Amino acid sequence: MKPHILQLNPILVPSVNERLEALYTVHRLYEQAAPDAYIAAHGAQMRGVITGGHTGISRGLMERLPALEVVAVNGVGTDAVDLAYCRERGLPVTGTFGALTEDVADLAVVLLLAVCRNLCAVDRFVRSGAWVRHPQPSAIPLARRFSGLRVGIVGLGRVGRAVAMRVQAFGCPVRYTDLAPIPGVDWPYEPALLQLARDSDALVLCAAADKADGIVDAAVLDALGPQGVLVNVARGRLVKEDDLVRALHDRRIAGAGLDVFVDEPNVPPALFEMDHVTLQAHRASATAETRKAMGELVLESLAQALAGQRPTHSLTT
Ligand code: 8YV
């Protein structure tokens, strides 16, 4: 009999879905009209869970899955999983570490460039026919040079390093903050985020959210200052979103490039009106190549755990 797997988030890669179907009985909770009743009826059979980084899984749901042997996160953020509970229960929680680094770093750079060069606002200007109506060059404000900006990286994990390497190619001096200095890197470490913000023209958030809720607040944004740009490709909750909206509205920072939000898919509507903000829909890892690599790691983790082995990418066991 095939093991039963509970899937909380869709996977958009046909080859991965085919493998999942071939190996397991897959229960797609997101397709159920009455998820609670579905768990009551089938929860006892589930030996594995697949979920997204942002979705995670509640402790309450795990408690209703007594046969659970693995939580396979199709992502690198495990902030939405109660890791302490999983450790107590001896449950491996796996991530797709290493698979999405390059794409997330690419999007961070895209957002930095898009904000500095007003890419989306000018695209809207052209599409709407406004260029024809206002052909004089003064109709579009001058943009900001990105090359050479001082970039502060918040969280120098895999993604943070990949962003640092990319922006160095643009001649940008890099500094970083993290919970402690990272051995073996040459970029200067700044222990205080506030100081890093003061010393940066752009801050790029790449940190795990577990230990960093709301670290970017009004004080940090004011330290970044009216010429400063904020980019977030990590988690919305790293930022006090109300403080960010206010700082952008009052032009206390120059702009923001945001892929992630506190309450996705709900984005503060005030941002829709702001041309100095570039918005994405939590897309940083969403390329066919990366999602395939992530899916393959999920398959590997499930197979290892259900064969009684410690999964290579387990964080908790
Ligand atoms: C994914 C993420 O969008 O890795 C993460 O933690 O949030 C993203 O890469 C998500 O996990 C896809 O399900």
Side-chain angles (χ1 to χ4, degrees):
M1 204 179 65
K2 293 197 278 189
H4 291 263
I5 299 290
L6 184 66
Q7 194 178 345
L8 304 187
N9 258 354
I11 287 182
L12 304 177
V13 183
S15 63
V16 173
N17 286 323
E18 280 157 26
R19 293 290 299 150
L20 280 172
E21 292 288 348
L23 295 166
Y24 306 110
T25 302
V26 182
H27 301 259
R28 299 197 168 86
L29 196 62
Y30 54 89
E31 286 177 353
Q32 302 307 321
D36 203 55
Y38 194 86
I39 294 296
H42 304 281
Q45 302 169 283
M46 303 303 166
R47 292 180 58 196
V49 159
I50 304 173
T51 186
H54 184 72
T55 308
I57 181 169
S58 69
R59 178 174 176 155
L61 178 50
M62 288 190 281
E63 284 170 347
R64 297 176 71 191
L65 310 175
L68 192 58
E69 291 169 52
V70 58
V71 174
V73 176
N74 187 29
V76 295
T78 51
D79 51 300
V81 183
D82 185 338
L83 296 181
Y85 168 77
C86 292
R87 277 192 195 103
E88 254 168 51
R89 202 171 142 176
L91 257 185
V93 176
T94 66
T96 60
F97 309 115
L100 50 67
T101 310
E102 311 304 329
D103 278 353
V104 177
D106 286 355
L107 193 77
V109 175
V110 166
L111 287 171
L112 282 166
L113 282 162
V115 173
C116 288
R117 301 303 299 266
N118 301 330
L119 197 75
C120 298
V122 178
D123 178 90
R124 287 190 290 271
F125 183 82
V126 175
R127 270 170 212 274
S128 67
W131 196 14
V132 175
R133 293 193 301 277
H134 307 283
Q136 65 283 14
S138 60
I140 308 175
L142 291 177
R144 172 98 177 277
R145 175 189 292 167
F146 170 64
S147 289
L149 289 192
R150 296 167 305 158
V151 174
I153 309 276
V154 180
L156 199 74
R158 291 182 184 85
V159 170
R161 278 178 231 207
V163 173
M165 285 167 62
R166 281 159 174 69
V167 301
Q168 268 192 322
F170 288 84
C172 298
V174 169
R175 302 172 78 78
Y176 75 97
T177 191
D178 207 312
L179 299 176
I182 307 294
V185 302
D186 291 336
W187 299 300
Y189 172 65
E190 172 50 63
L193 173 56
L194 204 62
Q195 190 58 44
L196 184 73
R198 277 189 204 112
D199 293 341
S200 302
D201 299 305
L203 272 189
V204 184
L205 307 185
C206 306
D210 323 49
K211 298 186 187 91
D213 237 10
I215 54 169
V216 177
D217 58 8
V220 169
L221 295 167
D222 285 332
L224 185 59
Q227 297 300 318
V229 170
L230 180 78
V231 161
N232 191 358
V233 289
R235 281 288 182 272
R237 52 189 264 241
L238 292 171
V239 181
K240 289 195 175 144
E241 215 163 54
D242 291 344
D243 288 5
L244 176 60
V245 171
R246 225 167 290 129
L248 283 162
H249 175 268
D250 299 343
R251 301 274 176 168
R252 291 178 3 250
I253 65 169
L258 306 171
D259 185 42
V260 287
F261 304 87
V262 170
D263 178 28
E264 294 168 11
N266 300 302
V267 173
L271 298 179
F272 300 154
E273 307 304 319
M274 297 183 188
D275 269 351
H276 54 316
V277 177
T278 299
L279 301 171
Q280 284 287 290
H282 202 141
R283 302 290 297 161
S285 69
T287 68
E289 294 82 354
T290 283
R291 287 295 169 84
K292 184 165 185 286
M294 290 165 68
E296 278 160 10
L297 285 181
V298 165
L299 281 163
E300 180 187 293
S301 296
L302 289 175
Q304 289 173 328
L306 298 183
Q309 299 158 10
R310 180 194 169 274
T312 315
H313 297 287
S314 171
L315 273 183
T316 46
T317 55

